[in-house]
Amino acid sequence: VKELLLSTNKKDFYAGYNFLLGGMFDGGHTLTLMGQEGDIGMNSVNQNLDPEEYANELDFYRTKFAQPLFSLSTNSLVFGAKKTQIFPYVISMSPSDTQKLNYYYFDSSNNTAYVGFDHFEVDDNAWDEFYKNNKSADQAPVETDSYAFIRSCFYQALEDNAQNLVLDLTTNGGGSSTALLGIMGLFNNGKAYIGMNDVLNRSRITEYYDVDINLDGKWDQDDVTEANKFNFNFGVFTSRNSFSCGNLLPSLLKENGIKILGEKSGGGSCSIVLNTTCEGLAFAHSSQLCLSNRDGDNIDSGIPVDFELEVIPNPSNPLLYDLDEFYNLTKIGEYLSSAYSE
């Protein structure tokens, strides 16, 4: 890798740069921010290196780096494919034209509402316009903002007289902590917090937030009253794909007595810093701020569940799973109905 990075050949340099990425990749917090096409794409190691001259290096890259990365992305696709068989998706487009899969589904057989989304996203421009123009709550940017979307689903669950509400994070890879804080307020009477360990300064930081639940531009007792309407039996549905904010939110909600179900989340605990190399190539890396639970423990190892749902490996293909029992809506509804009655 060092030889490739010192090369004056552009393609060798890009290959070395992405070879380095493969060794540092941690699930999504340390990565290069480049497209998939052309000489500098993440596949540039395979595209640019001579297969005879670099046979050993390419074999090492594919075995040690590319395969784990491929497995990670395949996991999410397999879980997502199963979800599309069960839940009707509402497909919307973000301001950056990145497709999201958001859904609301009410299972009348066991009185359970399911709310799913794959990315924590904030539409700052839409909220600026919303508040500056004193828009009504039904004009919130539900198509482009995660908090607005999840909030609208909570009200839909009220209309459906749902007893249970499940937040589905099984394919959620993270995103904006600002969106997370808004969503936490829906579960926690309009209040949210986030804890971090500063591993360089050996200190702990806890930030507290008030969330505008009724969207009137201020926080007061009316927001608490509004949030108290969401008196559901809450569950948070996680998997190995629940990463970063998809790992933090279950930790925060579990501390507040909300049931976590599915399988242990995938981790990811550090805030991200964006940087560039001297050549102008962009990359991201973890900062010294590591997300933690109330006891100050780093949550990078994932959040254990209260109710485990089985993921059955496929003996003929380790990248595929039998997820019928994992996405068993009957079991989920029955568990939540009984868990909160004890």
Side-chain angles (χ1 to χ4, degrees):
V1 172
K2 182 178 180 180
E3 289 177 1
L4 291 169
L5 289 171
L6 291 173
S7 174
T8 57
N9 179 288
K10 180 181 70 172
K11 290 189 175 184
D12 284 354
F13 176 79
Y14 289 144
Y17 185 58
N18 284 285
F19 209 124
L20 187 64
L21 161 68
M24 298 193 303
F25 187 77
D26 62 353
H29 279 183
T30 305
L31 70 163
T32 51
L33 304 176
M34 301 187 297
Q36 301 296 317
E37 303 298 329
D39 294 340
I40 65 171
M42 290 181 66
N43 196 36
S44 63
V45 175
N46 291 318
Q47 290 176 335
N48 294 343
L49 294 185
D50 183 275
E52 293 184 3
E53 182 181 357
Y54 292 99
N56 292 335
E57 288 83 357
L58 284 168
D59 181 66
F60 182 83
Y61 177 82
R62 291 163 184 160
T63 304
K64 300 295 184 181
F65 297 162
Q67 187 61 41
L69 197 155
F70 175 73
S71 298
L72 187 71
S73 61
T74 301
N75 277 336
S76 183
L77 291 173
V78 171
F79 279 73
K82 186 63 178 179
K83 284 169 63 172
T84 59
Q85 298 175 13
I86 300 173
F87 303 112
Y89 277 88
V90 178
I91 300 177
S92 58
M93 300 301 289
S94 74
S96 59
D97 291 330
T98 301
Q99 182 170 292
K100 309 194 304 283
L101 295 177
N102 298 340
Y103 77 85
Y104 172 85
Y105 175 72
F106 178 62
D107 184 358
S108 59
S109 66
N110 52 33
N111 211 16
T112 302
Y114 292 85
V115 181
F117 69 120
D118 289 347
H119 188 69
F120 289 80
E121 192 157 26
V122 174
D123 189 340
D124 292 315
N125 292 332
W127 282 120
D128 285 345
E129 182 183 351
F130 177 89
Y131 283 113
K132 286 177 181 177
N133 293 289
N134 296 314
K135 292 186 176 182
S136 60
D138 60 2
Q139 295 175 292
V142 296
E143 292 296 316
T144 55
D145 184 271
S146 299
Y147 168 60
F149 173 72
I150 301 301
R151 178 185 176 279
S152 71
C153 293
F154 272 51
Y155 282 103
Q156 183 61 55
L158 287 178
E159 287 188 28
D160 290 334
N161 293 314
Q163 177 188 22
N164 310 313
L165 187 145
V166 176
L167 186 67
D168 180 2
L169 302 177
T170 57
T171 53
N172 193 300
S176 168
S177 59
T178 303
L180 178 149
L181 292 164
I183 293 167
M184 185 183 179
L186 296 169
F187 288 85
N188 196 43
N189 299 324
K191 292 184 174 293
Y193 63 88
I194 185 171
M196 293 168 283
N197 294 332
D198 186 329
V199 298
L200 292 184
N201 296 311
R202 299 193 178 279
S203 60
R204 174 168 167 76
I205 303 164
T206 304
E207 298 175 351
Y208 296 91
Y209 296 83
D210 297 323
V211 180
D212 185 10
I213 301 294
N214 60 9
L215 303 186
D216 65 352
K218 62 181 184 296
W219 193 90
D220 51 25
Q221 187 59 35
D222 290 342
D223 292 291
V224 177
T225 302
E226 195 70 14
N228 282 337
K229 293 179 180 179
F230 306 131
N231 188 29
F232 305 110
N233 296 330
F234 284 119
V236 180
F237 197 6
T238 61
S239 79
R240 65 196 69 187
N241 306 300
S242 307
F243 186 76
S244 192
C245 282
N247 181 57
L248 173 61
L249 186 58
S251 175
L252 296 170
L253 296 181
K254 186 170 185 172
E255 291 177 346
N256 287 276
I258 290 171
K259 302 299 183 182
I260 311 300
L261 50 99
E263 67 173 357
K264 187 177 182 180
S265 55
S269 74
C270 291
S271 300
I272 301 174
V273 175
L274 303 181
N275 260 312
T276 59
T277 67
C278 296
E279 297 81 14
L281 299 178
F283 66 98
H285 60 90
S286 297
S287 74
Q288 80 276 16
L289 297 177
C290 296
L291 302 170
S292 61
N293 61 21
R294 186 176 287 158
D295 295 328
D297 301 320
N298 192 322
I299 61 171
D300 195 43
S301 59
I303 310 306
V305 299
D306 300 296
F307 180 61
E308 187 172 0
L309 292 159
E310 190 174 11
V311 175
I312 303 173
N314 185 326
S316 62
N317 189 335
L319 296 178
L320 300 178
Y321 313 97
D322 181 343
L323 296 173
D324 288 341
E325 283 303 301
F326 186 76
Y327 287 108
N328 188 323
L329 304 192
T330 300
K331 279 188 176 181
I332 293 171
E334 290 176 350
Y335 167 73
L336 288 177
S337 295
S338 62
Y340 287 91
S341 62
E342 297 174 354

